[in-house]
Amino acid sequence: MIEQLRESTAELHQDLERTLIPVIKQANSPEAYIRLLQLFYGYYYPLEQYIAAHIDTSFPGGFEGRRKATQLLQDINVINGSPLDPPVTCTNIPEINDNAQALGAMYVLEGSTLGGQVICQIIQRNLPVPEISQALSFFNGYGEETRAKWDSFVHYLEGFHGTEEQKKRLVEAAADTFRQFKVWAQANA
Ligand SMILES: C=CC1=C(C)/C(=C/C2=NC(=C\c3[nH]c(/C=C4\NC(=O)C(C)=C4C=C)c(C)c3CCC(=O)O)/C(CCC(=O)O)=C2C)NC1=O
């Protein structure tokens, strides 16, 4: 399952990275960093709502511990110095109507934690304000646990013994998650 996902989404993954890396590198003021966090929140929040409604309860450690939208809001408020209204959210979200599609979207969200260390370094270098170390909880991902959490996610994915049709839905949902994030990022960055 993981190999099929990697192959089918490699190009879309690269496309999205190429769209977001310049935005990350330009986050050199509190305002620009807030816009970057708002961009992620606007996509992750609605997506996580759909995932929570459809993911199987056998998911390891539960889905709650892997939610990221709350951290995005916290980081926004820390760097702003006071609470801001929740950001505008994306309405063009991939179709998530079952566990297979929820897992496909989770592949993209969980994979994004793997780039976090590099992103934290870039942001700390470009945004040297004292508050920044308290405002990186989203990009810090699971910290020291990131690799272990990723491995356990991949392990669970490998145990997904769905029908060919369900596997197709899983891969297509992952591809759509990359595609629609890019559309959202291009329109809002
Ligand atoms: C935002 C910048 C951004 C950067 C610059 C970035 C960097 C990396 N992403 C990696 C892996 C993955 N990334 C994704 C999903 C997204 N990648 C993206 O760029 C965006 C935006 C995604 C999802 C939102 C996924 C599904 C995988 C697993 C691929 C697999 O193994 O199956 C690794 C590899 C780490 C290693 O293997 O040691 C690095 C360095 N990640 C970011 O979010």
Side-chain angles (χ1 to χ4, degrees):
M1 193 75 251
I2 185 73
E3 292 308 329
Q4 199 184 331
L5 265 173
R6 277 187 186 130
E7 273 173 38
S8 311
T9 61
E11 201 161 317
L12 295 166
H13 184 172
Q14 275 184 5
D15 260 13
L16 177 61
E17 238 179 75
R18 269 197 294 267
T19 304
L20 286 176
I21 287 175
V23 187
I24 291 166
K25 291 193 168 159
Q26 283 154 23
N28 56 5
S29 68
E31 293 72 25
Y33 183 50
I34 289 170
R35 283 198 301 274
L36 173 67
L37 294 168
Q38 288 172 331
L39 180 73
F40 273 86
Y41 181 89
Y43 195 67
Y44 280 44
Y45 177 78
L47 197 53
E48 286 181 347
Q49 299 291 106
Y50 286 104
I51 293 170
H54 295 286
I55 203 148
D56 201 281
T57 49
S58 69
F59 193 78
F63 170 67
E64 289 306 311
R66 293 188 188 249
R67 277 181 185 260
K68 297 158 185 52
T70 314
Q71 288 162 313
L72 283 161
L73 274 190
Q74 268 176 19
D75 291 346
I76 289 169
N77 292 339
V78 169
I79 200 74
N80 188 57
S82 63
L84 274 177
D85 288 338
V88 177
T89 55
C90 179
T91 51
N92 185 22
I93 295 297
E95 178 188 289
I96 298 175
N97 289 326
D98 59 23
N99 184 51
Q101 290 177 325
L103 281 177
M106 273 303 272
Y107 166 73
V108 181
L109 299 191
E110 287 306 297
S112 76
T113 64
L114 300 175
Q117 295 311 310
V118 184
I119 296 171
C120 283
Q121 283 167 16
I122 296 174
I123 291 168
Q124 278 180 304
R125 176 156 29 86
N126 294 339
L127 188 52
V129 300
E131 307 83 65
I132 193 66
S133 61
Q134 299 306 311
L136 286 166
S137 69
F138 169 69
F139 287 116
N140 258 318
Y142 308 116
E144 310 263 282
E145 293 291 302
T146 300
R147 183 52 60 173
K149 294 271 266 189
W150 171 249
D151 289 346
S152 75
F153 175 71
V154 171
H155 183 78
Y156 180 73
L157 205 54
E158 290 305 292
F160 179 81
H161 298 298
T163 61
E164 283 311 308
E165 176 60 26
Q166 286 170 322
K167 288 182 190 171
K168 219 177 102 190
R169 286 162 74 80
L170 196 159
V171 172
E172 201 45 46
D176 284 344
T177 304
F178 278 116
R179 270 189 213 109
Q180 284 166 228
F181 195 6
K182 183 185 161 190
V183 172
W184 170 249
Q186 284 181 329
N188 291 277

